[in-house]
Amino acid sequence: MKRKINITVIGAGSWGTTFSVMLARKGYRINLWTRRDVTYNEIKNSRRNTGYTGGLYIHENVIPFTGGKNEPGSPEIIVFAVPSHVLRETIIRFNNYLKENIKNIKCVLNLAKGLEIGTNLRLSMTMEECLPENLKSKICVLSGPNIASEIAMGLPGVSVIASNNKEVLKYMQPILSSDKFRIYTNNDVIGVEIGGAVKNIIAIAAGISDGLGYGANTKASLITRGLHELTKLGVKLGANLKKVEIETWVKG
Amino acid sequence: MKRKINITVIGAGSWGTTFSVMLARKGYRINLWTRRDVTYNEIKNSRRNTGYTGGLYIHENVIPFTGGKNEPGSPEIIVFAVPSHVLRETIIRFNNYLKENIKNIKCVLNLAKGLEIGTNLRLSMTMEECLPENLKSKICVLSGPNIASEIAMGLPGVSVIASNNKEVLKYMQPILSSDKFRIYTNNDVIGVEIGGAVKNIIAIAAGISDGLGYGANTKASLITRGLHELTKLGVKLGANLKKVEIETWVKG
């Protein structure tokens, strides 16, 4: 039997909702925060979040909450699943909640990709700037080729979690892993964050190539050269090219 | 006006024929060898190689030859475009021809991917074993995401040529480059050959994933992890992981 871990997911967009359902199916209790009353009510009453996840049934282990009320107690994991441009204000908004639960929290995980507008910080750096002091060593980021709708359908996928803190990685890996979702761990936070942010530029270019009617060669060329440029940029920004070895997956 | 370079392409399969037509369109004279009389006759009389390149018009700068007769003189570049399992016997078959033209030949280029069956050699090693002594320093390999039919249609693509000999790369790059086909150079022959051979395993797995109805996540996961494994294998076999810098393309 699974440990009844208590996880608070902040942000009920398509990835936050899907991520919550994925973990709820594993038996964890998920507190899912939405900023909108209408989403709160729909999840509570109809077990759907039609605006973001269409017909996906929101597992009963997902307990929605909103506003400042009914904040769920004793989460061990805090997951930020909000867009990069509101990550800072959302962390600040939850600062008291984080402080109240600080002794319990073993990990603060970010699902967003990108760089912070204005500061150009990687998002783990934004987190470091505004999380309560004792949580700064608990930061972890997740990045992978993860289209939410496919995860929801249970199609196989992988993802990587990165943290400077090996204990956090070791704690999180089995919690997030499942038969259909394999989690790798990595301590190259810079590489994972830069890769996750910059690959979207290449993805857009690849989409344009398809739209223009170009073939597989053209798309593969864009991806091959894009990966090369992305790697150069990452290394310039401190990513670890030489770290070929990544700790392997574990059974979830 | 282009230099009237004389190029002998050995092997009239889909890639050899397409490669010949691509270069013929640039104004070079291409001597295309086929082992089959029927292919020789079809190219000569109908300007088609229907078995391999369907309706593709074989440019008049492509001069077919076959058997031991009519071997064209004074090639500056020899291109081997035969499957990996017959590369050795084909090089041996052409040994006299290579020796006769040895003073003129500036590059011996291999288009095949794979490892040699039985010896497990990389194909440039096979070439080193059986090419005439003075040509061993002229070896070059080409590898890229190059589907022949898309190249024939003029869809944009890129490829990489790798050699231990910088002069060979410098000589070949503008000859092979065009507006639609960008050539990068690289002196990591091991990395290019291992990548070109092993990526096909991942490509087959990706095709199986599609066939099973899995989504983009699954395929991207296979490719991401496959690239990681491929890199580890390459590095183990002597590929240069640290060489992020690749010489850039030139206008063809």
Side-chain angles (χ1 to χ4, degrees), chain B:
Chain B
M1 160 137 187
K2 303 270 182 204
R3 286 171 295 163
K4 197 71 178 176
I5 292 173
N6 190 334
I7 301 171
T8 294
V9 176
I10 295 167
S14 59
W15 191 206
T17 304
T18 302
F19 196 76
S20 297
V21 170
M22 181 181 79
L23 294 179
R25 288 174 182 163
K26 284 193 69 181
Y28 305 130
R29 178 200 157 107
I30 312 296
N31 318 296
L32 176 59
W33 179 78
T34 167
R35 66 186 162 86
R36 299 171 70 214
D37 281 341
V38 59
T39 306
Y40 168 79
N41 287 325
E42 194 190 10
I43 294 177
K44 195 158 189 284
N45 300 325
S46 319
R47 292 279 133 203
R48 293 285 187 283
N49 182 1
T50 45
Y52 286 105
T53 53
L56 178 69
Y57 176 76
I58 313 293
H59 194 285
E60 51 271 19
N61 286 351
V62 177
I63 318 294
F65 71 108
T66 187
K69 59 191 176 187
N70 305 322
E71 283 180 349
S74 307
E76 290 170 56
I77 298 166
I78 306 288
V79 180
F80 283 99
V82 296
S84 58
H85 66 279
V86 294
L87 179 62
R88 182 183 290 268
E89 69 186 57
T90 307
I91 294 174
I92 292 169
R93 175 181 193 149
F94 279 90
N95 231 271
N96 282 338
Y97 177 65
L98 294 169
K99 281 178 182 162
E100 284 161 19
N101 292 286
I102 208 156
K103 282 185 186 157
N104 233 25
I105 295 170
K106 295 195 172 66
C107 176
V108 183
L109 178 68
N110 175 43
L111 301 187
K113 289 171 180 172
L115 300 174
E116 190 180 38
I117 295 173
T119 65
N120 294 335
L121 293 176
R122 286 180 287 104
L123 299 182
S124 66
M125 296 162 85
T126 303
M127 293 168 84
E128 266 177 49
E129 283 198 1
C130 47
L131 278 176
E133 196 60 34
N134 288 350
L135 292 180
K136 294 184 181 183
S137 62
K138 310 286 173 67
I139 294 169
C140 187
V141 301
L142 182 140
S143 187
N146 299 145
I147 298 173
S149 60
E150 296 185 2
I151 301 282
M153 287 162 69
L155 296 174
V158 306
S159 208
V160 63
I161 51 174
S163 174
N164 297 318
N165 184 335
K166 278 202 172 183
E167 289 306 309
V168 167
L169 294 175
K170 205 172 161 185
Y171 171 75
M172 289 297 286
Q173 189 178 32
I175 292 174
L176 301 182
S177 297
S178 72
D179 282 356
K180 299 286 173 59
F181 195 57
R182 185 176 285 187
I183 298 286
Y184 292 84
T185 61
N186 195 311
N187 61 12
D188 182 10
V189 177
I190 300 175
V192 168
E193 286 190 310
I194 296 296
V198 178
K199 63 95 180 139
N200 289 318
I201 299 168
I202 305 163
I204 289 167
I208 292 171
S209 173
D210 279 350
L212 288 170
Y214 290 160
N217 287 356
T218 313
K219 193 156 70 168
S221 301
L222 277 168
I223 293 170
T224 303
R225 295 303 309 175
L227 183 60
H228 177 66
E229 286 187 18
L230 187 163
T231 305
K232 281 205 291 187
L233 180 62
V235 169
K236 203 83 182 173
L237 293 171
N240 188 352
L241 181 67
K242 291 168 205 162
K243 191 186 168 300
V244 181
E245 201 49 61
I246 297 180
E247 283 176 55
T248 191
W249 57 284
V250 297
K251 204 162 162 50

Side-chain angles (χ1 to χ4, degrees), chain A residues 122-239:
Chain A
R122 286 181 287 106
L123 299 180
S124 67
M125 295 163 84
T126 302
M127 294 167 84
E128 267 177 50
E129 283 199 1
C130 50
L131 279 175
E133 196 60 32
N134 288 351
L135 293 180
K136 294 183 182 185
S137 62
K138 311 284 173 70
I139 294 170
C140 188
V141 301
L142 181 139
S143 187
N146 299 145
I147 297 173
S149 59
E150 296 185 2
I151 301 283
M153 287 161 68
L155 295 175
V158 306
S159 209
V160 62
I161 51 174
S163 174
N164 298 318
N165 185 335
K166 278 201 171 184
E167 290 305 310
V168 168
L169 293 175
K170 203 172 162 185
Y171 171 75
M172 289 297 286
Q173 189 177 31
I175 293 174
L176 301 182
S177 296
S178 73
D179 282 355
K180 298 287 173 58
F181 195 57
R182 185 176 287 186
I183 298 284
Y184 292 84
T185 60
N186 194 312
N187 62 12
D188 182 9
V189 178
I190 300 176
V192 168
E193 286 190 309
I194 295 295
V198 178
K199 62 97 180 134
N200 288 319
I201 299 168
I202 304 163
I204 289 168
I208 292 171
S209 174
D210 278 352
L212 287 170
Y214 289 159
N217 286 357
T218 313
K219 193 156 73 168
S221 300
L222 276 168
I223 293 170
T224 303
R225 295 303 309 175
L227 183 60
H228 177 65
E229 286 187 19
L230 187 164
T231 306
K232 281 205 290 187
L233 181 62
V235 169
K236 202 84 182 174
L237 293 169

